[in-house]
Amino acid sequence: MKKQNKTPAPQALVDEIRPGQSLELLKELHILTREGKLNQDSRRKLKQVYHLFGFIEKLLLELADQPGGILLADHGAGKSYLGFILYDLFFKAQKTGHIYGIETRPELVQKSRELADRLGFDRMSFLNLSVAESAQSDQLPERIDMVTALHACDTATDDAIAFGLQKHARFMVLVPCCQAEIARCLNQHKALSLARTPLAELWRHPLHTRELGSQITNVLRCLYLEASGYQVTVTELVGWEHSMKNELILARYTGQKKRAAAERLQAILQEFGLAQLNETRFRLSN
């Protein structure tokens, strides 16, 4: 394992950066400047990073006694911003466990591998796969304890949920982004819906179609998770002034499949003319 740079943080940063945090990593993530300083924008980014980590850390602590360590899959990883922060602030001290970053762009996968090597983060793997492909890949273990998907676009969030269900994940942490599939379905049947129900006025205009489609998508995802045996909490990730892609879905496996959630899922699909998604996105096992 390569040694990390042990240059101490400037005194002005001590109260803002967590003890043991890699300064080199914060520079790579553009939270610190190359001179190791925080400006107002990077200070805001740092607070957002720690805010998200606070949600996930509580769940990781519940898994701390997992035999062989915690196995986490980060879908739509991009530059693996989230994975690196989780490793630096939690996994590094645990000495066990592994993070798998899943990303379709090979150049980002290679850069993440190089950064992990420089930092000595040897229990991180980066796989050049789509979220859908990862469910069938032998590069991932059969068991995954936690699934994260931060701004995985459109149906990639649904693929991450399907992956989590297949791997019997104890926790899923999802921040959906660019939900377009249901908006497309609403558009296809708009004329029929307008004749059938006055509720179709909610998505008659294209802007409303996009916004309502996004809202319905996340509601259906939450019902699907509840019907599959998860307890679901929905909250804000950061203030709306920072990002409109702000909905954080936290799912905890309990094994108690809610019949009422399954029934409401079906009712909403029928009401909005989305029954075709029964056999693709929201198929429930008995």
Side-chain angles (χ1 to χ4, degrees), residues 66-170:
Q66 185 72 34
I70 302 166
L71 303 181
L72 184 149
D74 181 30
H75 288 288
K79 297 179 181 178
S80 293
Y81 188 102
L82 176 60
F84 279 117
I85 288 292
L86 291 175
Y87 193 100
D88 194 35
L89 293 180
F90 188 88
F91 282 77
K92 188 169 62 177
Q94 295 297 309
K95 307 301 181 184
T96 60
H98 203 101
I99 293 178
Y100 297 88
I102 298 162
E103 170 57 44
T104 58
R105 289 164 287 184
E107 68 278 9
L108 296 185
V109 171
Q110 184 58 35
K111 286 181 179 179
S112 293
R113 288 171 178 167
E114 292 170 357
L115 178 57
D117 185 56
R118 289 202 304 274
L119 295 173
F121 289 5
D122 57 340
R123 286 177 286 113
M124 294 189 80
S125 299
F126 302 94
L127 309 178
N128 185 202
L129 298 168
S130 70
V131 183
E133 289 169 341
S134 67
Q136 309 303 323
S137 174
D138 59 6
Q139 298 179 71
L140 287 136
E142 292 185 6
R143 169 179 67 87
I144 290 290
D145 302 302
M146 180 179 289
V147 171
T148 59
L150 182 62
H151 295 155
C153 281
D154 198 11
T155 58
T157 297
D158 300 292
D159 292 336
I161 291 172
F163 174 94
L165 294 177
Q166 178 185 317
K167 299 290 186 179
H168 306 289
R170 294 265 302 277

Side-chain angles (χ1 to χ4, degrees), residues 23-41:
L23 300 186
E24 183 179 349
L25 173 61
L26 293 181
K27 290 177 182 179
E28 290 286 345
L29 299 179
H30 305 293
I31 291 175
L32 288 180
T33 67
R34 283 297 164 192
E35 294 74 33
K37 297 179 180 180
L38 275 173
N39 56 35
Q40 191 59 37
D41 182 59

Side-chain angles (χ1 to χ4, degrees), residues 34-79:
R34 283 297 164 192
E35 294 74 33
K37 297 179 180 180
L38 275 173
N39 56 35
Q40 191 59 37
D41 182 59
S42 58
R43 186 171 281 106
R44 176 180 57 81
K45 288 181 182 177
L46 185 65
K47 287 182 178 179
Q48 290 180 20
V49 166
Y50 287 159
H51 184 63
L52 176 59
F53 175 73
F55 283 111
I56 299 176
E57 182 185 30
K58 294 175 184 177
L59 307 181
L60 290 172
L61 288 170
E62 294 187 36
L63 296 169
D65 58 351
Q66 185 72 34
I70 302 166
L71 303 181
L72 184 149
D74 181 30
H75 288 288
K79 297 179 181 178

Side-chain angles (χ1 to χ4, degrees), residues 48 151 175-179 210-211 214-215 218 235-248:
Q48 290 180 20
H151 295 155
V175 181
C177 182
C178 306
Q179 303 95 312
R210 186 182 67 193
E211 292 176 345
S214 178
Q215 178 75 358
N218 288 341
T235 187
E236 291 182 5
L237 175 59
V238 293
W240 290 105
E241 68 274 15
H242 299 308
S243 173
M244 293 302 292
K245 307 299 183 184
N246 192 37
E247 188 168 335
L248 174 62

